[in-house]
């Protein structure tokens, strides 16, 4: 028989948003349960140095997340290694089914399931992830000072990342599969005016090439999307910027989403359209997508949930 666990606050997700919500909800004596999901610690466990987490000049992403987990646990948050497989937000208490068979019921839910960068799906891309291949210019651009870089994509993210990377790189090649950018015109203008950026139209990456020892990127083989001709571009960094996919599968039929699946919250808060359901972090943020902003929203969600519970007791 499956177990049922009731909690005042169910936090779904264990990235910076989830653990910060866990710290705040625990300190409000709300005895939250946090379900970690398939990636305990979230996206930062997939990276190495993090150099923009305030208070740490440099910290390894996985270490930071271990510390956040320990912090939430020390404050009294119950952290469970489980995955929520479905969520019913239509009636109270809210009900979550899980992979383990446990059913969680909750007076309030904080959704912190994050977002995932989309990848090209090439084996060579996978091989060099974290060793020259990245999906986060803000995080990793600093490592490519004076080097040549390629950026893949034609949307706002790709153009913003290419512009940002000119702060470090000697040259940025923007590789796009068409000859027309999806990015806003103002960003396109900035891109075309920037002498460090060279667009490469009608091309897609065929293979990331590099050294094995030490592991590192040395270039990309690109294929012309019409002629199939292969060319090699030397570079030390490859930034994939072909969009992000928010992990909103659990709620996309129940809550409004925008910009390709990001959960809509009331501006300046973490309140969704369903009272008692809050969303924080990358799941609701199509613009900033940073650890510190996610943690900030996790804090806001716990405070919003605390207020909601006090008003509905
Ligand atoms: P995430 O970190 O995405 O965590 C989502 C959590 O939800 C995971 O724990 C997952 O297991 C859980 N989850 C998902 N579905 C379910 C489910 N069904 N049931 C239960 N749990 C579920 N930001 C910076 O500020 N600095 C950096 O240097 C930096 N480097 C980065 C490097 C890389 C390679 C990547 C990919 C991102 C980087 N970022 C960086 C961005 C940063 O990691 C994210 O902004 C941040 O992790 C978002 O936090 P989050 O809590 O919203 O979600
Ligand atoms: P996006 O708008 O979906 O653009 C993705 C780009 O990647 C497109 O140009 C697409 O090409 C290309 N692409 C997709 N799959 C590819 C593949 N497999 N191989 C090669 N290229 C591929 O994604 P985004 O730029 O991340 O933006 C997502 C959302 O966030 C948008 O709503 C955007 O406006 C918003 N955003 C806003 C800001 C801002 O306001 N400043 C900044 C960043 C993002 P095609 O064009 O050929 O489809």
């Amino acid at each position: 028989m499956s177990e049922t666990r009731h909690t005042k606050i169910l936090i779904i997700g264990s990235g910076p948003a989830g653990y910060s919500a866990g710290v705040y909800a625990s300190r409000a004596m709300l005895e939250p349960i946090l379900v970690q999901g398939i990636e305990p610690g979230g996206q930062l466990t997939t990276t190495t140095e993090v150099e923009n987490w305030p208070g740490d000049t440099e910290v390894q992403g996985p270490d930071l997340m271990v510390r956040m987990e320990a912090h939430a646990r020390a404050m009294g948050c119950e952290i469970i290694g489980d995955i929520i497989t479905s969520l019913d937000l239509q009636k109270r208490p809210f009900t979550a089914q899980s992979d383990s068979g446990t059913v969680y019921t909750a007076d309030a839910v904080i959704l912190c399931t994050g977002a995932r960068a989309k990848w090209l799906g090439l084996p060579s891309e996978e091989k060099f992830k974290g060793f020259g291949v990245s999906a986060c210019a803000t995080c990793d651009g600093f490592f490519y000072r004076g080097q040549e870089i390629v950026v893949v994509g034609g949307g706002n993210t790709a153009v913003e990342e290419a512009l940002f990377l000119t702060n470090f790189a000697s040259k940025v090649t923007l590789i796009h599969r068409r000859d027309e950018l999806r990015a806003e015109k103002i960003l396109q203008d900035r891109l075309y005016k920037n002498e460090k950026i060279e667009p490469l139209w009608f091309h897609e990456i065929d293979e990331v090439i590099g050294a094995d020892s030490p592991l590192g990127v040395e270039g990309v083989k690109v294929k012309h999307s019409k002629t199939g001709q292969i060319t090699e571009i030397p570079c030390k960094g490859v930034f994939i910027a072909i969009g992000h996919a928010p992990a909103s599968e659990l709620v996309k039929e129940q809550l409004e989403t925008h910009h390709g699946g990001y959960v809509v919250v009331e501006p300046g808060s973490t309140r969704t359209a369903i009272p008692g359901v809050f969303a924080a972090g990358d799941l609701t943020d199509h613009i900033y997508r940073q650890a510190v902003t996610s943690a900030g929203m996790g804090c806001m969600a716990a405070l919003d949930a605390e207020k909601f519970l006090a008003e509905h007791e």
Side-chain angles (χ1 to χ4, degrees):
M1 224 178 71
S2 65
E3 185 194 10
T4 298
R5 299 281 317 272
H6 183 75
T7 178
K8 287 186 196 125
I9 300 190
L10 177 66
I11 301 166
I12 306 178
S14 56
Y19 285 145
S20 302
V23 168
Y24 276 79
S26 302
R27 284 176 49 80
M29 311 302 278
L30 293 168
E31 300 172 339
I33 287 181
L34 183 153
V35 176
Q36 288 180 306
I38 199 161
E39 190 175 62
Q43 291 171 64
L44 281 188
T45 61
T46 67
T47 189
T48 49
E49 292 91 3
V50 174
E51 296 186 341
N52 53 14
W53 178 256
D56 286 309
T57 312
E58 183 184 304
V59 59
Q60 295 292 310
D63 293 346
L64 177 61
M65 296 320 298
V66 165
R67 278 166 40 199
M68 280 197 207
E69 176 179 345
H71 188 174
R73 216 183 271 283
M75 292 298 123
C77 184
E78 184 176 349
I79 296 172
I80 300 179
D82 201 353
I83 300 165
I84 302 301
T85 50
S86 69
L87 190 56
D88 183 356
L89 302 175
Q90 304 310 311
K91 56 181 190 315
R92 290 212 181 78
F94 304 119
T95 308
Q97 309 285 338
S98 78
D99 196 46
S100 69
T102 302
V103 176
Y104 301 91
T105 59
D107 300 325
V109 170
I110 301 180
L111 302 161
C112 305
T113 49
R116 295 283 163 281
K118 291 184 197 159
W119 297 95
L120 299 170
L122 302 168
S124 55
E125 169 194 61
E126 190 60 38
K127 174 175 171 183
F128 291 106
K129 257 187 211 171
F131 296 90
V133 173
S134 169
C136 180
T138 324
C139 322
D140 298 332
F142 190 67
F143 302 119
Y144 300 95
R145 279 163 287 172
Q147 315 270 17
E148 295 194 8
I149 287 175
V150 302
V151 174
V152 187
N156 276 339
T157 303
V159 173
E160 282 195 340
E161 299 225 328
L163 287 165
F164 176 73
L165 287 165
T166 59
N167 292 322
F168 315 101
S170 56
K171 179 181 174 189
V172 177
T173 305
L174 182 79
I175 302 172
H176 185 35
R177 60 185 177 186
R178 300 185 291 137
D179 66 345
E180 199 184 332
L181 295 170
R182 205 177 269 278
E184 290 163 20
K185 292 283 175 266
I186 188 163
L187 288 173
Q188 297 194 25
D189 280 355
R190 285 184 205 149
L191 180 99
Y192 296 133
K193 279 184 193 146
N194 195 308
E195 287 175 359
K196 277 191 178 178
I197 303 177
E198 187 181 312
L200 182 65
W201 306 123
F202 294 119
H203 277 82
E204 292 184 55
I205 292 191
D206 196 49
E207 191 187 347
V208 181
I209 48 181
D212 280 339
S213 179
L215 200 57
V217 168
E218 286 173 348
V220 286
K221 281 187 185 164
V222 289
K223 186 157 89 183
H224 195 286
S225 20
K226 294 187 167 175
T227 63
Q229 191 183 339
I230 303 273
T231 324
E232 218 169 284
I233 306 175
C235 63
K236 292 287 181 197
V238 180
F239 287 83
I240 311 294
I242 59 170
H244 272 75
S248 52
E249 305 80 26
L250 288 173
V251 295
K252 64 173 188 246
E253 309 295 339
Q254 305 178 76
L255 291 173
E256 191 189 343
T257 59
H258 62 174
H259 297 287
Y262 292 86
V263 169
V264 174
V265 291
E266 214 176 284
S269 88
T270 60
R271 287 188 291 274
T272 69
I274 300 180
V277 179
F278 306 88
D282 279 14
L283 173 68
T284 179
D285 174 12
H286 67 282
I287 298 172
Y288 305 107
R289 294 189 294 237
Q290 296 295 299
V292 67
T293 48
S294 297
M297 282 187 262
C299 153
M300 288 164 65
L303 297 177
D304 287 344
E306 183 187 357
K307 187 161 180 276
F308 167 84
L309 291 172
E311 285 169 0
H312 289 81
E313 229 156 35

